[in-house]
Amino acid sequence: MLSESKQALLATQYFAKQEFNLDLRVGIVPVSVVNQSNYQVKVAKLKISETYSQGIFTGGGLTYATQLIKDPTTGEIYNLQIQNMSEAANFSGLRCPWQDILSPHEEVVSLLVMSTVSDWQEEKEVYKIVLEEIYEIFGAIENVHPVIPENIKLCFPNESIYKMAKIKEPNSSNLKKMLRFIRLKLKTFYSAFLGLIKVNTLAEEAHKLELVENTDYKKFDDMLRMIISGDRQQRERLVKFLEKQYQKGKLVYGTHVSDRLLMTCLVPVNSGGRHVHFVDGADGGYALAAKDMKARINKM
């Protein structure tokens, strides 16, 4: 399993560089190394819907492993280096057919919150208070959720569809990519036509209500990550609350604001109906929220 994981990571890194000129940092840290530094990797399973269960990670182990990979003094030990690429990356089931999705309200907020207290019980209380405040400010779950069926539209621009073609045919010839592009373009128009005449087929697109239900707009991996829909006044009220908690030494946080979000879908082959839809704020999203959080960490 470790060998296959290394190959998958390196193949993805190679593909990102060759096709999109993106430099990805990939690495593997043994859990034993994490445990020796008094961190843990605790895993729980949260059922989101009948077809989607989400992994929850606590204990600080993932955060510590990420630091080891990014730190120049330890990165050489844990970073993976491309050698002989014998296999192409496999992105079977990965689909990106949607346009940028507009916020149902005024804004989309990419939010990161990480507790800074050492006691486990107090840490749970910090996250509980944060979530309660979010729902107090933004309202019920259906108001917080950044995706609504009415705003989900198929993607038509050639540039976006050609990117999908490259993902579907990694390391293939330009001819194969172009043929894939044509097939995807025709498939998109066909799906749009079915939508216009009110014909829905799950073989082509997941039902939009189920798609919304299986969206990972809220998750936890050593910190709370959320994509929230709201207006400027609500966001300012949330930031004011988080800043008070930050000044008390309870947590650090980062935010980024946009008017829309991005969605990528994973529909595994022979999935039996399972699918998950990953969302992030547009124009930087979680990445810029993390930068905002790091600036606060550096001030502590």
Side-chain angles (χ1 to χ4, degrees), residues 70-118:
K70 290 182 176 180
D71 191 329
T73 60
T74 55
E76 292 185 2
I77 301 174
Y78 303 109
N79 282 335
L80 301 179
Q81 302 296 328
I82 294 179
Q83 297 176 350
N84 296 322
M85 295 306 303
S86 58
E87 297 182 18
N90 183 353
F91 297 109
S92 299
L94 191 65
R95 306 171 67 184
C96 314
W98 308 111
Q99 297 180 28
D100 292 5
I101 301 172
L102 292 175
S103 169
H105 304 294
E106 180 183 330
E107 298 181 339
V108 168
V109 180
S110 302
L111 172 68
L112 301 177
V113 178
M114 183 171 66
S115 169
T116 54
V117 299
S118 56

Side-chain angles (χ1 to χ4, degrees), residues 103-105 107-109 131 134-147 217-218 226-230 234:
S103 169
H105 304 294
E107 298 181 339
V108 168
V109 180
L131 286 170
I134 289 173
Y135 291 118
E136 174 68 24
I137 293 172
F138 292 88
I141 291 177
E142 55 266 26
N143 293 330
V144 174
H145 204 302
V147 182
Y217 78 100
K218 178 174 60 177
M226 289 188 71
I227 304 296
I228 300 173
S229 173
Q234 290 171 318

Side-chain angles (χ1 to χ4, degrees), residues 277-295:
H277 308 276
F278 308 106
V279 295
D280 194 3
D283 303 324
Y286 281 136
L288 291 188
K291 185 177 181 180
D292 186 40
M293 173 186 277
K294 186 176 180 180

